[in-house]
């Protein structure tokens, strides 16, 4: 059974940074693309970033490109999202996700993507 456990969220001031972690079980990161999406209250889920298996090619939504960076440690079965220059509009619950593909389909995920329970990120002064 595949399971994602996200951590690292919290309250941060605008301009600050956070590093999210996603511990993965039941899925070999060498063979599956994984990534992050977020959902703000009253809004649809928004795909943010995806990292492929193999060479680890990564993709980003325009809203986070240049500020967020995805990485993974296959041996530790962990996916990371480094978030810099945070803005109030980044406030959301952040989820680790996969569509069980070897490659990413851009930075987003399908509505049926598997995701974890999420971690809350709040950006406010």
């Amino acid at each position: 059974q595949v399971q994602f456990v996200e951590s690292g969220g919290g309250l941060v001031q605008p301009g600050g940074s956070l590093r999210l972690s996603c511990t993965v079980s039941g899925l070999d990161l060498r063979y599956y693309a994984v990534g992050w999406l977020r959902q703000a209250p009253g809004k649809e889920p928004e795909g943010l970033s995806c990292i492929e298996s193999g060479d680890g090619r990564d993709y980003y939504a325009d809203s986070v490109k240049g500020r967020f960076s995805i990485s993974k440690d296959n041996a530790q079965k962990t996916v990371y999202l480094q978030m810099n220059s945070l803005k109030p509009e980044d406030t959301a619950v952040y989820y680790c996700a996969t569509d069980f593909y070897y490659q990413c389909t851009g930075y987003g995920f399908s509505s049926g993507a598997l995701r974890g329970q999420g971690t809350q990120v709040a950006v406010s002064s």
Side-chain angles (χ1 to χ4, degrees):
Q1 183 177 356
V2 179
Q3 187 174 14
F4 297 141
V5 178
E6 300 92 339
S7 61
L11 175 63
V12 62
Q13 291 186 342
S17 298
L18 283 175
R19 189 193 195 202
L20 305 184
S21 298
C22 171
T23 302
V24 181
S25 59
L27 188 76
D28 192 331
L29 296 180
R30 294 175 298 173
Y31 305 120
Y32 292 95
V34 295
W36 295 87
L37 57 84
R38 67 187 178 190
Q39 188 166 17
K43 294 189 176 182
E44 292 293 313
E46 176 189 12
L48 300 177
S49 182
C50 182
I51 186 167
E52 292 184 335
S53 56
D55 63 4
R57 183 176 298 183
D58 53 10
Y59 303 83
Y60 298 92
D62 287 344
S63 58
V64 303
K65 194 174 295 182
R67 300 189 298 124
F68 291 12
S69 178
I70 191 171
S71 61
K72 63 174 180 168
D73 185 325
N74 292 341
Q76 295 297 318
K77 296 186 176 182
T78 304
V79 185
Y80 303 98
L81 186 68
Q82 178 67 43
M83 306 188 297
N84 300 325
S85 303
L86 283 162
K87 306 173 182 179
E89 52 263 44
D90 292 320
T91 296
V93 179
Y94 285 68
Y95 300 91
C96 199
T98 185
D99 276 315
F100 295 100
Y101 297 148
Y102 184 81
Q103 293 178 315
C104 299
T105 53
Y107 57 80
F109 297 88
S110 72
S111 59
L114 178 71
R115 57 183 182 179
Q117 293 301 305
T119 185
Q120 175 72 53
V121 172
V123 184
S124 174
S125 56

